[in-house]
Amino acid sequence: MSLSPELLTLVMFGGLLIGLFMGHPLAFVLGGVAVIGAYLGPGPRVLGSIINNIYGNAMDNYVLVAIPLFVLMARFLNDSGVTERMFDAMRLLLANLRGGLALTVVIVSVLLAATTGIVGASIAVMGMIALAPMLKYGYNKELSSGVIMASGCLGILIPPSIMLILMASYSPVSVGALFAGALVPGLMLGAMYALYVLVICFVKPSYGPPVPAAERAETSTGQLLIMLAKYVVPPMGLILGVLGALFTGVATATEASAIGVFIAFLLFLIFGDRKPSTCFRTLLEAGKTTTMVMLVLVGATAFTGVFSRGGGMTVISDLVLAMPGGTTGALILMLFLVFLLGMFLDWTGIVLLSFPIMLPIVQQMGIDVLWFVVMVAVVLQTSFLTPPFGYALFYLKGVAPKGIEIVDLYKAVLPFVALIALACLLMAAFPWLITGLPSALLGY
């Protein structure tokens, strides 16, 4: 006897949480729960059609070709060494400003977000090259670690972003429209982080003292300008090359990603060590990341397929539509569920689990799908910051010097989670922050 849709919903999501708490990889937990759910719910015969859907639909999506290319672009840029040099140039440029080092972290992280899009790499790099100097110059450790983690997470929001490509493949919104829609919110969050740094360092000067004048004097203005031209302009060229080709219609997302790989490879040849072993390691790491994303995609497609065939979609839809407050209440519930899922899953699993369930409800209520998808992308910033499974916390803890405990990192993210919530309220009050640029550029 098969389980009712309500009971199947509880069993499948309960099994998902149990598997994750036991420490098993997300992709295999999703696939395993899908098989168990098929036997308990719609029956094992459903697995045949789901396998056909995985290989004939989900894995046959041309948009997904951009994922390995953008990952490879990120790895080439990261292994070129230009990131560390860019940080040194920006640090010296803002040396006389209170909180200048923290502000440098925000600016460089925004540039990294627009060129790499890999959160783990951004946080690890900034943690290694920025955290120790900030602590050395007397910066508050919560401010130092918090700004690195929050700014590093912008990589999944500011285009070109792997997450946005995956979202586009699971929604009726094009990659170009989604890139344009997420650009303003991403830059707005970066500006909010920078403003927070300036305000907190003005109110509490001890939180972010300026770089000693003697160290700044060691580099002349001419040398600084050369550093800026050499290490900041090339990554900016990469950003303009990729986004410009996409927004002007010269290239599709996949073609733009290929342009990005070519430019990043040139930067690797110019600034990197050019050793075959380094290039091989770059290709290997890019392959590992791509494989991880694709495995999660397969597992999530199986999970949502069984969940849908067992009637779970109807259960969730009825629950959301029955929320008090009508459309507003339903939206608050869906975004809050994304926030809660972010405490336990990474963004890949959340997108692949929530979109097949939520997007039909959003369309049924007549809500702009582009606006909703970007709102989810902004909320997913918190998935890296909130315990118990906030990946940014573990990324930074792995490279942090002695004296930085996990409790300090928990405290450090609180102001930035509040800023993300404030950004969501602003976008809810002013939807044109999301829809304005796609409308102007693409006629969305």
Side-chain angles (χ1 to χ4, degrees), residues 82-255:
V82 73
T83 304
E84 292 86 346
R85 299 165 190 172
M86 181 168 59
F87 177 81
D88 285 338
M90 294 300 301
R91 181 176 71 89
L92 293 173
L93 180 66
L94 302 173
N96 297 325
L97 191 66
R98 284 181 187 172
L101 281 175
L103 192 59
T104 300
V105 168
V106 176
I107 295 172
V108 174
S109 294
V110 169
L111 294 175
L112 286 177
T115 51
T116 65
I118 298 178
V119 170
S122 297
I123 294 175
V125 167
M126 296 309 297
M128 287 187 288
I129 66 177
L131 185 55
M134 283 196 284
L135 296 177
K136 172 186 173 183
Y137 292 127
Y139 274 61
N140 176 270
K141 61 182 178 181
E142 280 85 10
L143 175 64
S144 304
S145 53
V147 77
I148 290 174
M149 290 185 288
S151 301
C153 293
L154 292 171
I156 64 167
L157 181 60
I158 296 177
S161 159
I162 298 171
M163 183 184 76
L164 297 178
I165 295 170
L166 195 63
M167 285 180 159
S169 70
Y170 270 72
S171 72
V173 182
S174 69
V175 175
L178 198 49
F179 276 11
L183 184 59
V184 172
L187 295 177
M188 183 178 72
L189 262 184
M192 291 172 71
Y193 296 160
L195 183 61
Y196 171 74
V197 167
L198 292 174
V199 170
I200 196 70
C201 291
F202 177 79
V203 175
K204 299 180 178 180
S206 62
Y207 272 41
V211 175
E215 181 179 346
R216 172 62 184 88
E218 293 176 0
T219 304
S220 68
T221 303
Q223 290 174 319
L224 179 58
L225 290 175
I226 292 174
M227 291 175 66
L228 292 172
K230 192 174 180 180
Y231 303 126
V232 177
V233 173
M236 291 298 296
L238 176 59
I239 298 168
L240 295 176
V242 173
L243 296 184
L246 186 61
F247 289 157
T248 57
V250 174
T252 64
T254 305
E255 293 163 347

Side-chain angles (χ1 to χ4, degrees), residues 290-339:
T290 302
T291 302
M292 179 272 295
V293 173
M294 293 304 177
L295 280 176
V296 174
L297 190 152
V298 170
T301 303
F303 183 96
T304 54
V306 172
F307 187 67
S308 176
R309 298 293 182 87
M313 298 290 194
T314 305
V315 173
I316 299 296
S317 177
D318 291 342
L319 174 64
V320 172
L321 294 175
M323 277 292 294
T327 301
T328 302
L331 282 172
I332 292 173
L333 175 62
M334 286 189 286
L335 293 175
F336 183 67
L337 288 175
V338 170
F339 174 77

